[in-house]
């Protein structure tokens, strides 16, 4: 997931300004007040503003450009958001769902050895020209990329490599203690299929039992069946080395900027503009009320009320991310003029 497809502002959503468009798309828009946001007054708005500044300069539309210039000198973060934005609830008929993602750390080597046998591949040129290209099975079982010099690094665990592809970026720790960082470099164009859902369909586990760690452990206990299970997901992610990102910074997101733990979310850019502030009301065992910034995307993140929370880097973050699956709602903060343009003319 730090996926994480390239920068794409939602030009489509801006066209949906009238009742006819609402009827065709099934979307509904409601402008809320900041008093309608549960916990708004208690959040650390300054922390959210710092993260907003990291990527707002890459938002090309004039209203965002203007707000980014104002944000650079804003001294009162809460006042900045309340003066220049309006909370917009965008719904598509689906219930809100929050999951988590993280930056994994894998053990690897710059060369192939008896231990480090599983390559992290760069994207071959022909895969960019054909959509879809070869499936996961074709690439791995068929050896379509072997011997072509596309290997960025070699790792020791094919299961961790599979989950690296789901996350979209990560760090590889070499035997001498050095790290390299890899980021999303493209995909083969096949749809993402959930391994967890497939395990439930096969009766291996019940829905409440499935997590990333459960899947990993099952595949390792059942290597032959596990390999076949992973082939159920035909999507295959390629990488590029991004070691220029300092170790104390987060990995690169879809806006090609470092993302921030517990302040960055991945969204569906068909509904939420990348770079926009988004108010999160996540329920569940560990409720969260927080202003996040939509700086990432992911192939499994689809819908107006769907978000993936970036937890952080390493195994501890991975354990938290792997069990996060909670209901709630998300409210996009839009520039005032843009917010009201989303409503039918009779409501403006």
């Amino acid at each position: 997931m730090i996926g994480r497809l390239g920068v794409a502002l939602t030009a489509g959503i801006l066209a949906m300004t009238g009742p006819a468009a609402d009827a065709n798309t099934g979307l509904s828009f409601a402008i809320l007040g900041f008093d309608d946001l549960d916990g708004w007054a208690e959040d650390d708005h300054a922390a959210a503003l710092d993260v907003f500044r990291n990527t707002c300069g890459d938002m090309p539309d004039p209203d965002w450009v203007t707000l980014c210039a104002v944000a650079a000198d804003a001294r009162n973060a809460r006042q900045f958001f309340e003066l220049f934005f309006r909370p917009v609830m965008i719904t598509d008929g689906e219930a809100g769902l929050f999951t988590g993602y993280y930056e994994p750390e894998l053990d690897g080597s710059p060369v192939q050895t008896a231990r480090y046998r599983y390559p992290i591949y760069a994207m071959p040129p022909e895969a960019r020209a054909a959509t879809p290209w070869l499936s996961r099975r074709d690439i791995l079982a068929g050896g379509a990329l072997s011997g072509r010099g596309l290997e960025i690094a070699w790792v020791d665990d094919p299961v961790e490599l599979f989950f690296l592809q789901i996350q979209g970026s990560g760090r590889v720790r070499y035997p001498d203690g050095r790290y390299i960082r890899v980021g999303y470099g493209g995909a083969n164009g096949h749809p993402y299929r959930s391994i967890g859902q497939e395990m439930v369909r096969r009766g291996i586990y019940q829905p409440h039992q499935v997590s990333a760690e459960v899947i990993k452990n099952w595949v390792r206990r059942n290597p032959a069946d596990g390999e076949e299970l992973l082939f159920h997901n035909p999507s295959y992610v390629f990488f590029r080395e991004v070691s220029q990102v300092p170790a104390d910074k987060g990995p690169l997101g879809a806006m090609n900027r470092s993302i921030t733990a517990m302040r960055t979310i991945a969204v569906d850019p068909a509904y939420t503009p990348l770079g926009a502030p988004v108010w999160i009301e996540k329920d569940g065992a560990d409720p969260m009320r927080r202003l996040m910034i939509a700086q990432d995307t992911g192939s499994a993140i689809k819908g107006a009320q769907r978000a993936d929370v970036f937890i952080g880097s390493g195994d501890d973050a991975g354990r938290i991310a792997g069990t996060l699956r909670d209901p709630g709602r998300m409210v996009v903060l839009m520039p005032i003029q843009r917010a009201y343009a989303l409503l039918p003319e009779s409501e403006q």
Side-chain angles (χ1 to χ4, degrees):
M1 273 209 56
I2 295 171
R4 345 262 193 205
L5 299 171
V7 178
L9 293 175
T10 53
I13 199 171
L14 300 181
M16 299 181 282
T17 58
D22 291 347
N24 291 335
T25 64
L27 291 176
S28 64
F29 307 92
I31 295 182
L32 308 180
F34 286 93
D35 289 343
D36 298 318
L37 307 182
D38 181 29
W40 170 259
E42 289 73 44
D43 193 27
D44 184 350
H45 304 91
L49 179 58
D50 284 343
V51 178
F52 175 71
R53 288 172 175 145
N54 288 344
T55 47
C56 70
D58 297 317
M59 304 175 76
D61 289 357
D63 48 0
W64 289 108
V65 171
T66 300
L67 286 179
C68 191
V70 176
D73 297 321
R75 296 184 179 181
N76 185 317
R78 177 178 172 183
Q79 185 180 68
F80 166 77
F81 290 117
E82 292 180 354
L83 278 178
F84 296 106
F85 294 86
R86 289 295 176 267
V88 181
M89 182 78 175
I90 305 172
T91 55
D92 58 1
E94 298 294 326
L97 176 63
F98 295 97
T99 49
Y101 71 109
Y102 72 108
E103 182 186 36
E105 293 183 346
L106 290 77
D107 290 321
S109 167
V111 296
Q112 184 179 16
T113 69
R115 174 180 174 182
Y116 302 109
R117 297 183 288 126
Y118 305 99
I120 299 174
Y121 282 121
M123 192 170 190
E126 63 269 29
R128 298 188 185 279
T131 301
W133 193 58
L134 300 178
S135 70
R136 173 179 296 276
R137 183 187 297 274
D138 295 331
I139 292 169
L140 296 181
L145 298 182
S146 299
R148 294 186 53 186
L150 295 168
E151 299 87 357
I152 297 173
W154 302 80
V155 298
D156 63 350
D157 189 334
V159 182
E160 293 294 343
L161 178 55
F162 178 86
F163 278 87
L164 172 69
Q165 294 190 323
I166 292 177
Q167 301 304 319
S169 76
R171 296 194 292 186
V172 181
R173 181 173 49 247
Y174 285 166
D176 62 4
R178 288 185 297 137
Y179 282 86
I180 69 163
R181 203 167 216 157
V182 294
Y184 180 87
N188 62 348
H190 287 264
Y192 171 84
R193 292 180 183 167
S194 168
I195 297 303
Q197 290 180 6
E198 177 64 11
M199 296 181 87
V200 172
R201 189 191 69 80
R202 295 183 186 183
I204 299 173
Y205 290 112
Q206 295 298 310
H208 70 278
Q209 297 175 307
V210 176
S211 69
E213 288 303 312
V214 167
I215 295 171
K216 290 177 184 180
N217 291 334
W218 189 90
V219 172
R220 288 168 180 146
R221 290 196 308 269
N222 303 274
D225 290 341
E227 180 182 45
E228 190 63 30
L229 176 68
L230 297 186
F231 286 150
H232 172 75
N233 176 22
S235 175
Y236 192 90
V237 170
F238 302 101
F239 292 90
R240 58 193 175 98
E241 186 172 349
V242 289
S243 296
Q244 72 274 18
V245 180
D248 62 335
K249 299 289 186 181
L252 298 181
M255 300 184 76
N256 208 32
R257 305 286 181 184
S258 288
I259 60 177
T260 303
M262 305 308 293
R263 285 289 173 182
T264 291
I265 55 171
V267 299
D268 185 342
Y271 303 94
T272 304
L274 284 177
V278 181
W279 179 252
I280 295 300
E281 295 179 8
K282 185 188 78 65
D283 297 325
D286 187 16
M288 181 185 299
R289 304 292 187 262
R290 184 170 295 189
L291 185 59
M292 314 284 273
I293 310 299
Q295 296 173 316
D296 217 344
T297 62
S299 57
I301 309 303
K302 300 297 182 184
Q305 287 289 309
R306 181 75 175 87
D308 215 7
V309 178
F310 177 57
I311 305 299
S313 301
D315 292 342
D316 289 343
R319 281 187 285 271
I320 296 171
T323 58
L324 196 158
R325 189 176 183 85
D326 292 324
R329 72 170 184 171
M330 50 187 281
V331 181
V332 184
L333 270 58
M334 303 285 277
I336 294 174
Q337 192 170 13
R338 182 174 294 213
Y340 283 104
L342 294 172
L343 297 178
E345 290 184 7
S346 59
E347 298 181 27
Q348 293 181 20

